[in-house]
């Protein structure tokens, strides 16, 4: 872009430059002490999970959090920064997963398979995102939501029907390259009591790719391109009048976000050594992503970190709490049903609605507000 | 408006509009005729066509409320699907006490049962719709982004509430005795229930058209779509009109839900959301806010799905998307673009 928009943008507030950290974070600092502490805690906990907790469940949860941070952050690029609602984000997530799964299953467990699968998946995602964008964003943004919903559901049906390629409802299980298998030992001796095996390498691969993707997305939203997206979100007509081609920018945003979701899908498949409709393609994951973005905070990348972490922890631990509550209330009609562990989504849904009304900035917005 | 041929209307036209855009209307018979040689056998074609029409009517029943609400209020309700589910579950209120009627051999008793189910469903969804409008939708008038988010939230909560009230497992609901099975005329097979669905769909469509175009309320609604401030300035309470249209839209979803539930013969809380994909495709094809477009779109999508499913089953999975893409390439705003929007 040759010039910056002529009007001030909200996210421009805390620009500081100079330090190395600010450079890493694209000068978009958390701008709240509490938020900074929480983010650092999450970062450290994720980085040290294999050494802090034993057993496979904490490690799986941590890996899932890493993947979902990328997925949710890329969705926030669309929803929070560009102001368009897509329901096809899981489709791109699924394409990433299937890309890697299909090549690893067909062409053997090599790094080349992973690269090929990822590359083909990225290409396909970009193509689809452009097609959807041009078909629907020309007219009005609201078409985009409905059309993405339709295309995503058609894609889910296709994935379950083309069972010779995708494994249908059963999905695909596959082997990883030797270096990522649990039996592989990088060091003969355990470090701090933890064996340095392929599983650990896979986790750190996930962790660093996720971190890199997150910083990249942070860079994108703070670039001149990202500023134009925010301008479009705030006032579409004004942005157009200033000479920015709204359709082109929105389509670009949806492509970037689709590519990031594809990478997240590939990471998910690599971690699970499996990909199927339920792990990457289902509509319930789409709803989860929406909840994470809105509760964490739309329009800030840090919101996705908070949202994904909170949601996935709640998924594991809120249900235990609700189970206890449900048992103590047994005997009263309907009430135990409402806090039955399977109904945890009811409460998160209510929190979601309240968030949209009362705290449009989500948790991050709330924390920043409290600071001022 | 698009620059296609616009002809003055004659009194005998099926759609009592002042100006009728003929091209999209001709699309349906043209499609049916085109499919005839491809299908081959005439009786198979007739069977497919009747089945497709019935399917189209059911989709129309579910979609009409949504497009009406959008047309008047510029509200896009992603939670519409839950009213479909809720309507279906509400029919249990009638099916429980009147279980004997379902087993009866009398067609009239069976149809009366269906009617009571529909009335119960419309009552429940209309009431819930009024509450939904007040709590969920009213604070976000004017912002599409927030509407989508908030109504999705409402959908999640309401779906979970259905689980909490009626349980999470699917509930079977059998069709009333005389509505099961098929009528066979010559070689043409027509399921009885589908014929009932065609009847109800036509009644609702004609009723809506008459209400919108021939009554004072309809006049006010159409005026409200064009210019709400002016209607308000003339002394009408536009807010009350909006709420009643939202309630009517929800009740229509409930009606569609009952029909859809009897067709599927099982109840699940997610059934509404599953069919929402089709509903959105249909209202996009028809043009957001156009009831007539919604009708044509429903029939078009259902017929194409049926024909393609017969001729090339593999393609049927994406036939809806293909129809939508083709229509949008032809008319980016849908078949009947609603003026001003």
């Amino acid at each position: 872009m040759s010039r910056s928009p002529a009007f001030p943008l909200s996210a421009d507030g805390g620009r500081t430059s100079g330090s190395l950290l600010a450079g890493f974070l694209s000068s978009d600092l958390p701008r709240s002490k509490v938020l900074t502490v929480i983010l650092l805690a999450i970062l450290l906990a994720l980085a040290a999970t294999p050494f802090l907790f034993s057993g496979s469940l904490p490690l799986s949860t941590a890996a899932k959090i890493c993947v979902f941070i990328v997925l949710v952050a890329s969705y926030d690029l669309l929803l929070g920064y560009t102001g368009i609602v897509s329901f096809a984000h899981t489709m791109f997530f699924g394409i990433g997963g299937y890309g890697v799964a299909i090549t690893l299953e067909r062409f053997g467990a090599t790094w080349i398979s992973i690269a090929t699968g990822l590359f083909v998946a990225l290409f396909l995602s970009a193509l689809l995102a452009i097609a959807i964008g041009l078909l629907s964003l020309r007219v009005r943004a609201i078409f985009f939501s409905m059309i993405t919903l339709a295309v995503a559901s058609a894609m889910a049906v296709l994935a379950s029907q083309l069972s010779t390629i995708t494994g249908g409802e059963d999905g695909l299980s596959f082997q990883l390259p030797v270096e990522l298998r649990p039996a592989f030992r990088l060091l003969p001796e355990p470090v701090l009591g933890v064996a340095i095996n392929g599983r650990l390498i896979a986790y750190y691969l996930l962790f660093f790719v996720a971190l890199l993707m997150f910083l990249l997305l942070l860079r994108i939203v703070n670039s001149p391109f990202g500023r134009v997206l925010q301008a479009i979100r705030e006032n579409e007509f004004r942005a157009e009048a200033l000479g920015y081609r709204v359709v082109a920018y929105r389509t670009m945003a949806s492509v970037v976000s689709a590519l990031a979701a594809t990478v997240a899908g590939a990471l998910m498949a690599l971690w699970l050594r499996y990909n199927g409709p339920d792990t990457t393609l289902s509509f319930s994951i789409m709803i989860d992503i929406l909840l994470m973005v809105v509760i964490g905070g739309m329009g800030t990348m840090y919101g996705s970190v908070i949202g994904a972490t909170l949601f996935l922890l709640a998924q594991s631990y809120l249900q235990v709490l609700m189970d206890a509550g449900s048992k103590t209330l047994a005997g009263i009609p309907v009430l135990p049903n409402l806090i039955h562990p399977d109904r945890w989504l009811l409460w998160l849904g209510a929190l979601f609605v309240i968030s949209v009304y009362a705290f449009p900035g989500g948790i991050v917005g709330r924390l920043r507000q409290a600071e001022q | 408006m698009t620059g296609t041929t616009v002809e003055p209307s004659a009194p005998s036209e099926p759609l009592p509009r002042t100006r009728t855009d003929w091209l999209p209307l001709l699309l349906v018979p043209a499609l049916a005729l085109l499919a005839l040689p491809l299908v081959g056998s005439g009786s198979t074609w007739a069977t497919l066509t009747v089945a497709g029409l019935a399917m189209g009517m059911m989709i129309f029943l579910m979609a009409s409320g949504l497009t009406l609400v959008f047309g008047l209020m510029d509200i896009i309700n992603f939670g519409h699907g839950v009213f479909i589910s809720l309507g279906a579950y509400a029919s249990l209120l009638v099916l429980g006490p009147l279980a004997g009627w379902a087993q009866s051999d009398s067609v009239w008793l069976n149809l009366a049962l269906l009617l009571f189910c529909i009335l119960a469903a419309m009552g429940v969804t209309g009431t819930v719709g009024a509450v939904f409008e007040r709590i969920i939708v009213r604070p976000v008038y004017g912002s599409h982004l927030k509407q989508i988010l908030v109504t999705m939230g409402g959908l999640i909560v309401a779906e979970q509430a259905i689980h909490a009230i009626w349980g999470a497992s699917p509930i079977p609901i059998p069709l009333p005795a005389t509505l099961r099975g098929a009528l066979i005329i010559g070689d043409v097979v027509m399921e009885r229930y589908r014929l009932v669905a065609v009847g109800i769909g036509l009644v609702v469509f004609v009723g809506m058209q008459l209400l919108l175009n021939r009554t004072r309320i309809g006049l006010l609604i159409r005026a409200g779509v064009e210019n709400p401030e002016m209607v308000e300035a003339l002394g009408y309470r536009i807010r009350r009109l909006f709420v009643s249209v939202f309630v009517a839209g929800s009740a229509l979803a409930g009606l569609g839900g009952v029909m859809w539930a009897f067709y599927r013969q099982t109840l699940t809380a997610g059934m509404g959301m599953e069919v929402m994909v089709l509903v959105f495709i249909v209202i996009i094809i028809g043009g957001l806010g156009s009831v007539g477009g919604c009708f044509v779109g429903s029939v078009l999508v259902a017929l194409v799905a049926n024909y393609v499913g017969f001729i090339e089953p593999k393609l049927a999975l994406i036939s809806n998307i293909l129809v939508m893409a083709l229509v949008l390439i032809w008319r980016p705003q849908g078949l009947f673009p609603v003026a001003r929007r």
Side-chain angles (χ1 to χ4, degrees):
Chain A
M1 246 338 102
S2 56
R3 67 209 166 95
S4 57
F7 46 94
L9 291 165
S10 57
D12 242 333
R15 283 232 152 189
T16 50
S17 55
S19 80
L20 185 67
L21 184 68
F24 269 126
L25 298 179
S26 313
S27 302
D28 184 5
L29 298 170
R31 281 188 284 134
S32 154
K33 288 195 194 76
V34 186
L35 182 61
T36 314
V37 171
I38 297 175
L39 287 172
L40 276 177
I42 292 175
L43 179 69
L44 290 178
L46 286 178
T49 299
F51 299 98
L52 285 179
F53 308 98
S54 57
S56 64
L57 185 69
L59 196 61
S60 299
T61 311
K64 212 174 166 193
I65 291 176
C66 291
V67 171
F68 270 81
I69 286 175
V70 177
L71 187 63
V72 173
S74 62
Y75 190 66
D76 196 27
L77 173 66
L78 268 189
L79 179 64
Y81 285 88
T82 320
I84 48 182
V85 187
S86 159
F87 287 101
H89 213 58
T90 45
M91 175 172 84
F92 301 117
F93 191 49
I95 290 176
Y98 275 112
V100 171
I102 291 169
T103 46
L104 276 176
E105 202 235 357
R106 292 268 160 129
F107 308 118
T110 61
W111 289 97
I112 296 175
S113 298
I114 297 182
T116 321
L118 185 61
F119 183 75
V120 173
L122 286 172
F123 183 72
L124 188 64
S125 287
L127 218 61
L128 263 172
I130 291 174
I132 295 176
L134 290 184
L135 194 67
S136 54
L137 287 172
R138 270 191 308 159
V139 186
R140 44 187 311 182
I142 202 167
F143 265 40
F144 186 75
S145 308
M146 293 188 249
I147 287 176
T148 48
L149 184 70
V151 173
S153 81
M155 212 55 177
V157 174
L158 267 185
S160 71
Q161 294 296 315
L162 299 174
S163 49
T164 45
I165 307 170
T166 61
E169 288 294 328
D170 297 332
L172 294 171
S173 296
F174 49 86
Q175 281 286 329
L176 291 179
V178 178
E179 292 82 4
L180 298 180
R181 290 180 199 168
F184 177 80
R185 290 278 183 281
L186 186 67
L187 301 171
E189 295 298 315
V191 178
L192 299 170
V194 178
I196 309 299
N197 60 10
R199 202 72 183 135
L200 202 76
I201 299 175
Y203 177 74
Y204 279 108
L205 177 73
L206 235 69
F207 174 77
F208 283 110
V209 173
L211 186 64
L212 206 71
M213 289 298 297
F214 178 77
L215 293 178
L216 186 68
L217 283 167
L218 200 61
R219 183 78 213 106
I220 290 173
V221 296
N222 286 293
S223 67
F225 171 72
R227 290 282 181 270
V228 178
L229 295 185
Q230 290 166 48
I232 292 172
R233 175 194 68 191
E234 294 300 327
N235 193 332
E236 178 184 341
F237 297 110
R238 197 158 173 188
E240 184 91 52
L242 283 170
Y244 298 116
R245 296 187 54 201
V246 169
V247 179
Y249 274 93
R250 278 184 171 151
T251 309
M252 270 301 289
S254 102
V255 171
V256 171
S257 134
L259 292 180
T262 310
V263 173
L267 291 179
M268 193 80 220
L270 284 180
W271 177 254
L272 295 174
R273 283 168 288 173
Y274 163 83
N275 190 53
D278 290 338
T279 58
T280 49
L281 266 184
S282 80
F283 188 69
S284 61
I285 297 180
M286 192 62 244
I287 291 188
D288 292 352
I289 298 174
L290 256 180
L291 289 169
M292 292 182 214
V293 171
V294 171
I295 293 174
M298 284 187 285
T300 121
M301 281 289 146
Y302 298 112
S304 57
V305 180
I306 305 275
T309 311
L310 192 74
F311 187 91
L312 290 170
L313 287 179
Q315 202 167 30
S316 316
Y317 300 104
L318 185 64
Q319 297 192 35
V320 181
L321 211 68
M322 288 175 68
D323 193 31
S326 179
K327 290 217 172 79
T328 47
L329 289 178
I332 307 165
V334 185
L335 211 60
N337 269 349
L338 286 178
I339 58 169
H340 188 275
D342 289 348
R343 297 286 85 74
W344 69 289
L345 205 54
L346 175 74
W347 299 104
L348 278 184
L351 181 62
F352 173 87
V353 174
I354 295 168
S355 297
V356 177
Y357 289 145
F359 332 105
I363 294 174
V364 169
R366 195 84 198 97
L367 286 175
R368 284 180 175 169
Q369 218 173 30
E371 200 91 343
Q372 281 164 8
Chain B
M1 293 301 281
T2 47
T4 43
T5 42
V6 175
E7 296 170 15
S9 74
S12 63
E13 276 176 87
L15 288 178
R17 284 167 171 244
T18 42
R19 289 180 300 169
T20 301
D21 188 1
W22 277 107
L23 273 174
L25 292 178
L26 292 176
L27 214 57
V28 174
L31 177 83
L33 283 179
L34 182 75
L36 184 54
L38 289 174
V39 172
S41 136
S43 61
T44 315
W45 175 81
T47 303
L48 286 174
T49 307
V50 173
L53 278 177
M55 192 56 155
M57 295 297 174
M58 278 188 275
I59 300 171
F60 167 72
L61 285 176
M62 289 183 275
S64 56
L66 189 63
T67 203
L68 192 65
V69 167
F70 184 87
L72 180 62
M73 299 157 79
D74 200 23
I75 294 274
I76 189 72
N77 182 6
F78 270 71
H80 192 73
V82 90
F83 290 102
I84 296 173
S85 306
L86 193 65
Y89 274 87
S91 64
L92 288 176
L93 300 176
V94 174
L95 286 175
L98 297 181
W101 290 22
Q103 306 305 325
S104 152
D105 288 337
S106 152
V107 179
W108 296 114
L109 219 49
N110 284 173
L111 284 178
L113 179 70
L114 189 62
L115 184 71
F116 280 127
C117 282
I118 287 173
L119 289 179
M122 291 180 82
V124 169
T125 49
T127 316
V128 175
V131 177
F132 196 84
E133 196 275 341
R134 184 69 196 82
I135 298 176
I136 303 276
V137 182
R138 191 167 302 176
V140 289
Y141 275 175
S143 160
H144 279 158
L145 182 78
K146 283 195 167 181
Q147 279 164 21
I148 296 175
L149 293 178
V150 157
T151 52
M152 276 307 282
L155 172 98
I156 296 169
V157 172
E159 221 176 85
Q160 293 294 321
I162 290 181
H163 277 311
I165 297 169
W166 279 289
S169 45
I171 302 172
I173 57 163
L175 267 175
T178 54
L179 300 181
R180 291 173 208 159
L183 280 180
I184 302 173
I185 302 169
D187 287 337
V188 182
V189 184
M190 293 179 286
E191 277 180 61
R192 288 184 192 161
Y193 182 66
R194 288 186 188 245
L195 292 178
V196 175
V198 171
I200 294 180
L202 278 179
V203 168
V204 171
F205 176 62
V206 173
M208 273 172 91
Q209 287 293 343
L210 287 179
L211 182 81
L212 281 176
N213 292 313
R214 294 291 158 90
T215 65
R216 195 170 172 74
I217 301 251
L219 185 72
L220 279 177
I221 292 176
R222 283 183 295 137
V225 173
E226 286 297 325
N227 193 339
E229 289 84 6
M230 183 54 86
V231 176
E232 203 156 24
L234 289 173
Y236 297 98
R237 299 199 180 183
I238 197 93
R239 165 74 62 219
R240 199 177 282 172
L241 199 65
F242 277 2
V243 175
S244 47
V245 167
F246 194 90
V247 169
S250 308
L252 280 171
L255 164 60
V258 173
M259 299 305 291
W260 184 240
F262 274 115
Y263 172 72
R264 289 169 30 119
Q265 307 199 7
T266 31
L267 296 178
T268 54
M271 60 184 279
M273 197 55 218
E274 284 160 29
V275 81
M276 276 312 274
V277 172
L278 259 182
V279 167
F280 281 134
I281 290 179
V282 157
I283 65 172
I284 289 175
I285 288 179
L288 282 175
S290 156
V291 173
C294 171
F295 185 76
V296 176
S298 308
V299 174
L300 198 67
V301 162
L303 281 180
V304 169
N306 260 10
Y307 294 139
V308 173
F310 180 79
I311 300 166
E312 183 56 58
K314 277 235 148 71
L315 212 61
L317 298 172
I318 50 167
S319 71
N320 300 330
I321 303 284
L322 286 182
V323 174
M324 182 177 73
L326 288 176
V327 167
L328 286 184
I329 289 168
W330 178 37
R331 289 190 173 180
Q333 303 263 15
L335 292 177
F336 294 103
V338 173
R340 203 175 69 94
R341 294 253 163 80

